[in-house]
Structure formats: C-alpha cells, structure tokens
Amino acid sequence: MNGAAVRLTPLTARLLLRLVAADGEAVTARRLYEDVWQPAVELPHQDLRNRNEVQKRILELRRAFDRAGPGHGARIVRTGRLPTARGAESTYRLDLADDELDSAAFTRLVGDALRAAPASAVRLLTDALRLWRGRPLTEVRDEEFARAPVRRLTQLRETALRELIAGHTALGRYDLALPVAEQTARERPDDPEAAAALARLNARLRERHGDELLRHTLRGLRVDVVVVRGDLFDQEDANLVVGFSDTFDTSTDDIVISRESVQGQLVDRLFAGRHRLLDDHLRRGLREVTPLATESVRAKPRGRRTRYPIGTAVPVPVGNRRVFALAYSRLGNDLRARSAPADLRLSLERLWPSVAQHGLFRPVAIPLIGAGLSRIVELDHTQLLSLIVETFTESLRQDPAVCPELRIVVRDEELGRTDLSAAEAFLRDADERSPVLPPTGTL
C-alpha cells in the first residue's frame, strides 16, 4: 500500500483474487469458501465455521487496505446481504476505482482508445499495455471462477495490440508498429492474421525505404547519414555536391569535360545544356577566392586557365536549393584530371563548412566522389565512402548544424564494389567511442 508491498497469507491472497475475478460483483460467503478453500467433502453443520473462516480472511484483507489510510479497508471490501432460500447470506465485493486496480484501468484505457482518433488511441493503448505485467490472475488462472475474466482480459490485450499496430500505421509510423506486430506474431504463431499484419508492415517499410540502403542517426544529434542506390540528380529535395577540377571547366565537349561525367550531367540536366549559364554562376561565386595561377594560352590551349585552390567550394543556386561545385582534382594541361587521397580529404574538410553556411539546412546529396575520372586509384569504393562519412562526422564537432541529412548516392555499377557494412561499423564505433555532440559552450 502507498507504494509498499503487503504480504498476505496464501488463503487471503486467493480470496482477494476471487473478488478481483468477480469484477465488482458481490459474492456470497458460501461461494467464497467453496472457491477459495475447495473442501473435498461437505460436513454437516459446517456453515457457521466456514463463514467464520471467510470473515477472518476478509478482516485480514481490510487491515491490509487500511495501511493506505484509516477506513480504506471498509470502503474497498464491501459487505452486503443477499436473500436466499436458506435465509439472508453475507456477500462481499471489491469497490475499487479504475486507478486502484490495474485490470480496471486497462479495460477503461482500451475502451477509450477504441473511440479515439489515431494519435490519441496510440497514447491510450501504450498506457494500457504498460499495465500488462504477464498473464492476468496467474495464481488462479485455471480455476473455474477465473476463466471468464482471464479470457476477457487476454482478448482485450489482443485487441489493444491489433489497434496499436493500426494506429501507428495510420500515422505512418511503421517503425513503431513493427515491434508490436513482431511481438504479436511470436505470441500467436498459428494466427494467420498476425502473420499477415507483420508481412504487410515489412512490405510497407521496404516500400518506404525504397532505394535506401543504410540509415544511421548520429547519437546526440538529429542528423542522419544515409546511403541510397540511384542517381544523384533524382535527389530533388536535397542540395547536391558535384566534383570539379581546379579550373572549374564546364564545357561538355568530351574533350575538356565528358558528357557522361557528373559535371556533364549537371550541365545537361539542371542547366539544359547551357554551360555558359553555369559559368556565370561560378564566376560570381569565385570573385572572393584568390586564384593560385593563370595558365597561358600556349600552355593550356583549351578550357579555362585560371586555377583555384583545391577544396574551393562554390554554392551555385538552382531554384530553392544549392549545387556545391567542389574543386578536388587538378586538370592538367593535357586535359587529364588528377587527384590524390590527401586532395580529396582536404576538399571534403572544406566542403562541410560551406554547406553549413550556404546550404539552408537542407539535406545534402553527394555521389561517391573520387570514383570517376579524377583517377584516385589509391582508394577503393569502400574507402571513398568511409572518407566522406568520416569528414562529415568530424565537421559536426565544430558545427552540429551542417545539415539534417547526409545522403551518399551510389550508382548500381558502384554498389557491388562498395562494402556498406564498413561505413555502418564506423558510425557505430564513432557513437560508442565519443558521441557526436556540440562543442562545449554552444548549448
């Protein structure tokens, strides 16, 4: 009582469970004795002694309830009289409010949930199922008097689980509905409806994820690292990162820039083939960047001749998002792009502050940069993926608001050579080793 456990003698505990099973109905002293004591034979002139035994246990029960406060026992364990052919008989019943009996609270919460809208129903059902601590009336569940209430509560719990799955599904929270469906299927392995509900949820989750191959939410931040299969330019809700050379060439003549490259696709798909329009945006973005050198016409007869530092990132506006043109390779005068692991790391380290400043806190999508014509042969696809993830997570230590989601887009032909488990292991280890949190003093 009042949060403290009260120990009852075994017979008194059985008597209490018998009254709980009656669900508020009055039970005669004779019936209580038969159900709780279960006498093997009925002796003559035993009624008075039996009633005395029941009354002793009722008194013990009331004293236990009185520990919650004087008078609680008499209020909760009610005495009545019932006329019978043998004369008036004493009856006893429990008079408990919903918040005083878990089974009553459970029943009320589930009933309220069945009449509520999905969001409220989910809350009510979650509260109800927290009250479930194993099989109801466990000590007497096989007794005749307990079978009906046990069956009712068990069926009500099945209804609660089914409705909780439906509520989460209606709200689009398939990830929360799934563990409930899995639990239901485990508990009822022969129920085709439970198996079908689980199968539908798994299908919806697969459909929702679509081409998503990996998702990890960084500890301490609402920032996701995601790997998806597909095309960079299909990521219409995200800012894009496109690799460039240090001269920021845009002419897709298959001599300076290949039409098949990501740069070439950028010109064709987002600028309708008008590379001069992209040039104008790049020139404006490069005004505040100090060039490293300018090649002569003799040394570099084709393409742009002004060279910018490796790691220069130019945010190019495209509608309401940005394309970050990132210089991570050097275009030789022989028109071959060359880069090295150190160049790529430096470029990525300089990219993320630019994304934080100009990216409007939108998701950012980046290809497996370095896997194409820049010829970074020292790193395989898995190492390139890991380098992107590593530099991004490190940048969050300086600025945790770089973007809400880093989305790495891997093409089908790259997927077979990319071990996603390595990136996942790195993210898990990073969380365990030192959670990604804002620097001291920023909160």
Side-chain angles (χ1 to χ4, degrees):
M1 299 298 166
N2 289 332
V6 175
R7 184 177 297 278
L8 299 175
T9 59
L11 279 173
T12 304
R14 280 178 60 84
L15 179 70
L16 174 60
L17 291 171
R18 176 63 182 90
L19 292 172
V20 169
D23 198 20
E25 295 294 324
V27 185
T28 65
R30 180 189 299 274
R31 186 58 185 267
L32 286 173
Y33 186 83
E34 291 173 354
D35 289 343
V36 174
W37 276 259
Q38 297 181 338
V41 295
E42 186 172 342
L43 300 175
H45 312 297
Q46 188 74 14
D47 284 354
L48 180 58
R49 182 176 296 177
N50 294 349
R51 285 199 303 272
N52 289 339
E53 285 293 325
V54 171
Q55 288 169 356
K56 284 167 54 179
R57 304 302 170 181
I58 291 292
L59 181 59
E60 181 187 346
L61 191 56
R62 282 176 172 158
R63 285 173 176 165
F65 283 121
D66 278 340
R67 296 190 186 186
H72 275 62
R75 178 187 67 79
I76 293 172
V77 185
R78 299 281 191 174
T79 302
R81 301 289 287 175
L82 179 69
T84 70
R86 300 181 182 182
E89 288 193 36
S90 296
T91 62
Y92 301 96
R93 69 181 180 89
L94 291 181
D95 186 7
L96 289 166
D98 285 354
D99 60 352
E100 293 178 309
L101 184 63
D102 283 353
S103 60
F106 177 79
T107 300
R108 177 183 57 78
L109 287 167
V110 175
D112 290 346
L114 295 177
R115 296 183 293 272
S120 298
V122 164
R123 174 180 56 80
L124 291 166
L125 292 167
T126 302
D127 289 345
L129 289 165
R130 285 198 189 103
L131 298 173
W132 193 273
R133 298 182 180 88
R135 295 179 177 181
L137 303 175
T138 302
E139 297 87 343
V140 294
R141 62 178 293 110
D142 294 325
E143 304 287 353
E144 179 64 32
F145 65 81
R147 288 175 187 168
V150 167
R151 183 168 56 251
R152 176 182 65 80
L153 289 169
T154 302
Q155 291 173 347
L156 194 59
R157 177 174 177 268
E158 292 174 359
T159 298
L161 290 170
R162 185 169 60 250
E163 291 299 317
L164 184 57
I165 294 169
H168 282 313
T169 301
L171 297 172
R173 301 303 304 270
Y174 307 131
D175 51 335
L176 296 180
L178 183 62
V180 184
E182 290 173 337
Q183 177 185 353
T184 304
R186 282 196 304 271
E187 293 177 0
R188 296 155 57 190
D190 299 324
D191 185 347
E193 183 181 343
L198 178 58
R200 286 193 300 270
L201 269 175
N202 279 317
R204 287 194 177 191
L205 277 169
R206 286 193 297 271
E207 181 181 302
R208 186 186 73 172
H209 289 304
D211 291 320
E212 187 176 298
L213 303 171
L214 169 66
R215 177 176 291 272
H216 181 93
T217 301
L218 293 168
R219 182 182 298 171
L221 296 171
R222 288 182 294 176
V223 178
D224 289 343
V225 176
V226 186
V227 180
V228 300
R229 177 210 318 261
D231 186 327
L232 178 70
F233 296 98
D234 288 339
Q235 315 305 312
E236 297 179 355
D237 63 325
N239 296 323
L240 306 182
V241 177
V242 175
F244 275 75
S245 69
D246 59 339
T247 56
F248 286 94
D249 278 286
T250 61
S251 177
T252 56
D253 56 1
D254 283 333
I255 297 176
V256 179
I257 302 295
S258 168
R259 290 184 180 275
E260 300 301 318
S261 68
V262 179
Q263 291 168 259
Q265 293 179 63
L266 169 65
V267 173
D268 287 343
R269 296 177 65 174
L270 295 189
F271 290 89
R274 296 177 294 170
H275 74 87
R276 296 191 185 280
L277 177 58
L278 176 57
D279 279 340
D280 289 342
H281 285 297
L282 289 171
R283 286 193 188 96
R284 283 194 288 272
L286 289 167
R287 284 173 184 167
E288 298 181 3
V289 181
T290 303
L292 288 179
T294 301
E295 300 284 354
S296 67
V297 176
R298 178 185 296 275
K300 190 174 184 292
R302 301 185 68 98
R304 301 181 68 177
R305 298 180 179 88
T306 303
R307 297 189 179 278
Y308 293 91
I310 291 295
T312 300
V314 182
V316 176
V318 179
N320 61 352
R321 57 185 177 145
R322 301 289 182 268
V323 173
F324 289 88
L326 178 65
Y328 76 102
S329 65
R330 294 178 177 82
L331 186 64
N333 292 345
D334 58 359
L335 302 182
R336 291 181 60 190
R338 297 173 177 85
S339 189
D343 295 327
L344 180 57
R345 174 178 285 277
L346 176 63
S347 300
L348 290 169
E349 289 173 346
R350 292 180 175 176
L351 167 67
W352 307 124
S354 181
V355 170
Q357 182 177 358
H358 302 288
L360 308 174
F361 202 62
R362 298 174 65 97
V364 59
I366 183 172
L368 205 56
I369 197 164
L373 297 177
S374 59
R375 300 174 174 86
I376 302 181
V377 296
E378 298 93 337
L379 301 178
D380 60 25
H381 287 58
T382 301
Q383 291 169 316
L384 292 172
L385 174 63
S386 297
L387 186 58
I388 294 170
V389 172
E390 180 185 347
T391 56
F392 176 73
T393 55
E394 287 176 351
S395 75
L396 297 178
R397 298 186 183 280
Q398 301 303 317
D399 187 346
V402 173
C403 64
E405 178 182 301
L406 169 64
R407 190 180 307 163
I408 305 168
V409 184
V410 182
R411 295 176 298 170
D412 282 333
E413 58 268 30
E414 297 169 334
L415 190 57
R417 292 175 285 168
T418 308
D419 181 8
L420 301 187
S421 63
E424 185 179 30
F426 173 85
L427 290 164
R428 285 200 314 270
D429 289 346
D431 275 348
E432 293 173 2
R433 194 167 55 245
S434 60
V436 178
L437 292 171
T440 302
T442 62
L443 292 180

